[in-house]
Amino acid sequence: KPKRLNKAIELLEQDQPVYYTGAGPLTYDQGKKMALTFADMLNVELEHGALDFTALRAFMRGLRDGGPTHSGHLTPAVFVTLPALGLNQAQMLANSWMVRALLDCGVHSLDLCHARDPKAIEVYVAAARFPFKRPGVPDLPMEGLRGSGSQGFASQIWGVSPNHYLHVADPGPFNPKGEILLGLKDEDLHALANTEKSLAVPGTAYCEWGPGDMRMSMAAA
C-alpha cells in the first residue's frame, strides 16, 4: 500500500531511483492511458509547449480516472517544466502566477528552467506554498503566495479532502509531510555557477541537468 501521495517522494525516501517519461498529448484519453505507465513520474513539458490549463486539467482527470497505478498510487507523479525562467527575482515575481495555476491543476511537482538566481528560487518556492504556518516547519523569508480556493480541483485529483490537501500541498523534504517536489534545471553557465546556493534555498528538492541549453551556453562563452 502506498505510503505517500507522490510516488517520487516515496521512492526518494527509500533511496531508490525515480524514472520518468513524457506525458504525451494533454487529453483526457491520454491521461487514462498514461495512468498505467511503467514510469514513476510523467513530465508535462511546457517550457516550449502550449500553456493550456484546460487541457492539463483534462489530462489530470484522465490520470485519476484511469488509475490506480500498478504500484497502487492513485496517479503517477506529474511534474511540469515551467515556461517562466529563474533569471532574477523580479522576473520570477511577475510570473509566479504560473506556479500557482499549474499546482491548481493537481500536478505534484515542478521544474524551474534556467534557475540562475537564488533570489528567484525563493520566489518560486513561495509561489508553491500556502501562507499559513505549519507546526514543526520553519518559517521562510517570503510568505506563501497560494490562495484559498485553489485546493478544490487539485484535491479531487489527489483523492483527498480539500482540507487535507491544504496540509500536504507543501514542498518536501523541507516539510516532511509535503507532497510537492520543486526541482531546478541548470541549463546555462550562469545557473551552474550558482548551483550550490540555489539548492541551499529551503523548499528545493533536486537539480536536473539541461544538456541542450548548456551546450549552447558553453558555445557562447
Side-chain angles (χ1 to χ4, degrees):
K1 183 179 179 180
K3 297 179 180 179
R4 302 293 299 252
L5 295 170
N6 188 327
K7 185 180 180 182
I9 292 179
E10 185 169 338
L11 289 169
L12 292 172
E13 288 179 337
Q14 298 169 2
D15 292 326
Q16 295 296 313
V18 178
Y19 297 94
Y20 76 82
T21 189
L26 295 181
T27 65
Y28 177 83
D29 289 341
Q30 178 71 3
K32 290 191 72 174
K33 173 184 174 182
M34 295 306 290
L36 299 179
T37 177
F38 75 93
D40 308 308
M41 298 186 83
L42 298 174
N43 174 221
V44 175
E45 203 294 299
L46 295 185
E47 183 187 9
H48 303 294
L51 186 59
D52 188 334
F53 299 110
T54 300
L56 179 56
R57 288 186 178 223
F59 176 81
M60 297 302 295
R61 283 196 302 268
L63 274 185
R64 177 202 59 195
D65 293 349
T69 67
H70 296 300
S71 61
H73 294 83
L74 187 61
T75 69
V78 175
F79 76 98
V80 177
T81 47
L82 287 165
L85 306 179
L87 304 181
N88 55 59
Q89 185 180 45
Q91 189 266 358
M92 196 66 235
L93 274 170
N95 290 295
S96 61
W97 64 271
M98 294 184 191
V99 173
R100 300 192 301 272
L102 289 167
L103 291 175
D104 292 353
C105 293
V107 305
H108 308 81
S109 305
L110 300 170
D111 262 13
L112 179 62
C113 300
H114 293 277
R116 295 182 179 182
D117 185 356
K119 289 296 183 182
I121 295 163
E122 290 180 6
V123 177
Y124 170 52
V125 172
R129 306 191 74 213
F130 292 99
F132 54 83
K133 294 181 181 294
R134 301 168 185 270
V137 179
D139 291 336
L140 294 181
M142 184 173 292
E143 186 178 274
L145 300 176
R146 294 189 74 184
S148 179
S150 59
Q151 68 270 32
F153 182 85
S155 65
Q156 295 176 35
I157 300 301
W158 285 21
V160 298
S161 70
N163 185 62
H164 185 69
Y165 179 84
L166 288 171
H167 288 281
V168 297
D170 204 41
F174 169 71
N175 179 345
K177 296 181 180 179
E179 296 284 354
I180 292 174
L181 278 178
L182 296 180
L184 310 175
K185 291 195 77 171
D186 272 2
E187 297 191 283
D188 54 47
L189 294 176
H190 310 284
L192 183 61
N194 282 329
T195 299
E196 293 185 4
K197 292 180 180 178
S198 296
L199 281 173
V201 174
T204 57
Y206 65 90
C207 186
E208 184 179 7
W209 189 248
D213 284 304
M214 185 63 76
R215 183 173 66 250
M216 294 182 181
S217 181
M218 289 178 172

